[in-house]
Amino acid sequence: MSPWTYYWLWVALLAALLFLPTAQLVWVLSVRRLERKLGQPLSDEARAGQRNRARFIAIVLCVVFSALFNYQRLDMAAHG
């Protein structure tokens, strides 16, 4: 198996493992911030919208972090 295939498999695995807790954390922080800003609880529709937004942010955040972490950890600079 080539080093780059191994690298991308680890990137995908780490990103998948980090996705759920990251999405939950982003969602909770976002909902709390909006509720504090508005001074009232959010509707179910607004919470669902914030959940979709949090999932998108979590995907980007997890993939970028995983790629950078594994690039450093697996020393991919040595493989060109």
Side-chain angles (χ1 to χ4, degrees), residues 4-53:
W4 286 101
T5 303
Y6 187 69
Y7 165 75
W8 285 112
L9 287 174
W10 277 109
V11 168
L13 179 65
L14 182 59
L17 290 173
L18 290 174
F19 173 73
L20 287 177
T22 305
Q24 184 70 20
L25 178 65
V26 171
W27 178 69
V28 167
L29 293 174
S30 177
V31 167
R32 286 183 182 174
R33 181 183 55 85
L34 275 177
E35 286 180 343
R36 188 173 46 247
K37 182 178 176 181
L38 297 174
Q40 62 186 5
L42 291 178
S43 67
D44 289 338
E45 186 176 300
R47 284 179 183 253
Q50 288 302 310
R51 184 173 300 274
N52 289 336
R53 181 176 174 263

